[in-house]
Amino acid sequence: MKSSTVRWCCFLFVLLILAALPVVALDNGLAKTPPMGWNSWNKFGCNVSEQMIRETTDAMVSSGMKDAGYRYVVIDDCWQVKRDENGTIVADPERFPSGIKALADYVHSKGLKFGLYSDAGSKTCAGRPGSHGYEFQDARTYAGWGVDYLKYDWCNAERQDSTESYTLMSKALQASGRPIMFSLCEWGSTKPWLWAKDVGNLWRATGDIVNCWDCKEKWGGMGVVHILDLVDGIETYAGPGHWNDPDMLEVGNGKLTPDENRAHFAMWAILAAPLIAGNDLRSMDGETRAILTDKEILAIDQDPLGRQGRRVAKDGEREVWARELQGGYRAVALLNRAATPQSISVKWENLGYPADVKAQVRDVWQHKDLGSATGSFTATVAPHSAVIVTVKP
Ligand code: GLA
């Protein structure tokens, strides 16, 4: 054979292979910026009910959370009790006497969106029926109820392949005819950032958050700063439509100090993280509300460029994290993990700026311009706290 014929045959062969590969591209148009909402798990665990969800929906509106951009009201585990004779999933009739559809309608009537939870295995983490073998039926049921968001867990799925299981539910959701945001929750165990971009809109990158600054639990749960360590280095996999998820917020759940709450929230914004509040919105105090609805921190999280930040400098427990913003600006966190105050500096070279560039510095939490700086900026940072600034050359 002539070499041009060989080349032509090879080209055709490659084309055939490409045509035979399954085309799985998630194009549900959702999560162009990290999703914002509320989920029942961190505060309520299995203690969920339609009354609590209705009250939370009302509080989402009256507290200003909706105006700040929070949209999704998501019921986590334990809303479901069994399957009926047709295999349809059944909500707990005592806790949800009006049914899930009526609840979703209520949430929609307030201009918000509604989410549910299931599991890729036979049972959820709390032992309720999972979706394994019922993926298409469940997706159709959810769509019929008006579900806008599905969190999909990974308990009791030991013998399953994660990519296959999540892809199956992704296809089922897409076939349901309703745009449903898809939140993968396999705890980073099979590195979803490498394969889930075309499967879901967000994927948990770590084990469960624990309501503490730096604790670590034997079962795999961890505090705020350990989560930060795990999501540093995977920033290039996040972007509009698909986000690394460092887990839901513990802001306002009573264990973190005010500084820790602010640092937790602001670091999630630096990470372009989904902001899913996990506190009791019905009784939150003014300080918690001020944190969760801070316009300038939220603008960082929701920056349209969608670049996840990363750690750009570390000296013991003094860290500098930075995130590129639209316009070439930077959001910077001077993070003090230590229990004593620390002086922390960011150098322009850590931000990719020449040292002789003059830049405007603004303290984000204080909502205050700090004037201009050349080459670096230094602040004294309280224990377990983060000073957040924007740097604009
Ligand atoms: C897992 C998830 C949590 C929560 C519980 C519910 O632990 O990671 O976020 O959904 O299951 O049982």
Side-chain angles (χ1 to χ4, degrees):
M1 254 195 284
K2 281 187 7 201
S3 72
S4 63
T5 319
V6 172
R7 270 206 301 275
W8 181 235
C9 284
C10 287
F11 176 66
L12 274 181
F13 182 69
V14 170
L15 267 190
L16 274 174
I17 301 253
L18 284 177
L21 286 174
V23 183
V24 200
L26 181 72
D27 189 17
N28 60 12
L30 301 172
K32 291 297 177 217
T33 59
M36 293 170 61
W38 175 91
N39 172 300
S40 52
W41 185 255
N42 281 357
K43 173 72 186 177
F44 297 94
C46 273
N47 193 17
V48 289
S49 68
E50 71 177 41
Q51 192 189 338
M52 184 272 281
I53 297 295
R54 279 172 182 252
E55 289 169 5
T56 299
T57 303
D58 294 344
M60 189 99 137
V61 178
S62 62
S63 64
M65 293 278 285
K66 181 188 172 200
D67 284 343
Y70 292 84
R71 284 291 172 275
Y72 292 90
V73 176
V74 182
I75 313 178
D76 208 280
D77 210 345
C78 302
W79 63 269
Q80 65 286 70
V81 281
K82 61 170 188 173
R83 292 188 180 277
D84 71 11
E85 61 281 7
N86 302 316
T88 305
I89 191 75
V90 175
D92 185 329
E94 273 158 36
R95 289 172 171 267
F96 297 90
S98 316
I100 300 294
K101 167 99 174 59
L103 191 51
D105 287 348
Y106 185 77
V107 172
H108 292 150
S109 77
K110 301 290 170 180
L112 295 168
K113 293 190 175 290
F114 179 75
L116 277 184
Y117 161 103
S118 189
D119 187 291
S122 52
K123 287 194 168 134
T124 70
C125 295
R128 306 303 174 94
S131 289
H132 186 54
Y134 294 90
E135 292 84 359
F136 281 81
Q137 186 171 2
D138 282 354
R140 264 201 306 273
T141 302
Y142 303 153
W145 285 343
V147 169
D148 306 297
Y149 182 115
L150 178 68
K151 172 176 169 182
Y152 204 48
D153 216 337
W154 191 234
C155 278
N156 306 298
E158 298 82 11
R159 283 196 289 274
Q160 294 171 222
D161 177 89
S162 60
T163 311
E164 276 172 17
S165 301
Y166 282 98
T167 302
L168 188 61
M169 188 44 114
S170 176
K171 285 182 176 168
L173 293 175
Q174 289 177 71
S176 77
R178 188 176 172 89
I180 298 179
M181 190 173 294
F182 192 29
S183 159
L184 283 64
C185 180
E186 56 71 273
W187 321 304
S189 54
T190 61
K191 298 192 167 64
W193 46 91
L194 296 179
W195 53 264
K197 174 172 180 284
D198 295 325
V199 177
N201 299 105
L202 57 156
W203 50 79
R204 281 275 298 280
T206 73
D208 285 9
I209 192 168
V210 176
N211 190 7
C212 65
W213 179 251
D214 59 4
C215 64
K216 257 189 180 168
E217 303 293 335
K218 280 202 190 79
W219 51 268
M222 70 200 89
V224 170
V225 295
H226 298 303
I227 289 187
L228 294 177
D229 291 336
L230 291 182
V231 291
D232 182 42
I234 57 171
E235 56 280 351
T236 54
Y237 299 103
H242 51 275
W243 307 99
N244 288 309
D245 176 7
D247 206 358
M248 306 172 292
L249 298 164
E250 290 285 10
V251 175
N253 272 340
K255 292 236 175 82
L256 298 172
T257 67
D259 275 347
E260 290 171 345
N261 271 321
R262 269 189 290 273
H264 167 27
F265 190 63
M267 291 310 295
W268 263 229
I270 293 281
L271 293 172
L275 295 179
I276 309 295
N279 58 315
D280 190 342
L281 301 185
R282 303 167 305 176
S283 58
M284 83 179 144
D285 58 22
E287 188 175 80
T288 302
R289 187 189 359 247
I291 294 173
L292 291 172
T293 61
D294 187 276
K295 281 204 168 64
E296 294 193 26
I297 298 285
L298 290 173
I300 293 173
D301 183 72
Q302 297 289 303
D303 183 78
L305 201 56
R307 291 272 163 83
Q308 177 179 327
R310 66 188 177 93
R311 185 159 48 204
V312 296
K314 179 172 172 66
D315 171 17
E317 298 202 282
R318 298 183 295 177
E319 299 186 355
V320 181
W321 291 67
R323 165 173 185 183
E324 187 183 347
L325 301 175
Q326 201 174 44
Y329 306 139
R330 302 287 187 268
V332 177
L334 306 174
L335 173 68
N336 179 10
R337 293 168 69 146
T340 52
Q342 301 286 331
S343 166
I344 305 182
S345 300
V346 52
K347 297 196 189 93
W348 277 196
E349 65 200 45
N350 298 142
L351 305 178
Y353 295 149
D356 58 355
V357 158
K358 190 167 151 184
Q360 299 302 316
V361 179
R362 180 173 173 84
D363 187 311
V364 177
W365 279 122
Q366 312 273 341
H367 301 171
K368 197 170 121 199
D369 289 328
L370 301 179
S372 64
T374 306
S376 68
F377 170 78
T378 303
T380 301
V381 187
H384 294 188
S385 172
V387 167
I388 309 294
V389 292
T390 53
V391 179
K392 299 189 175 184

